[in-house]
Amino acid sequence: MTVYKALKPEAEQAATLAVALAKGQAVNGTSTTNTAGGAAIPSFLLVPVAVTVDNIESTVVADGFYTAAQICTADYAAACATAGIK
């Protein structure tokens, strides 16, 4: 199992935050992360997804992060076939 956060929503949210901050606008609807020094940093936290054999195609492969061919190398071909990953 590994943890995955979709890159497109993460990048879109980062761009939205950057533009708002550059324009001096308030950033609403976000979380606040506190640094060790006590500074409050506006942030948007995505919920990570636990990637398993049951959802690898609908997450990592569907988002284009990796192709099934890149995952199902010779070392993992049998496991991919058993799991139905194409």
Side-chain angles (χ1 to χ4, degrees), residues 11-34:
E12 288 172 347
Q13 196 62 152
T16 299
L17 287 170
V19 170
L21 292 171
K23 291 181 175 180
Q25 298 171 341
V27 182
N28 298 317
T30 63
S31 299
T32 301
T33 303
N34 293 315

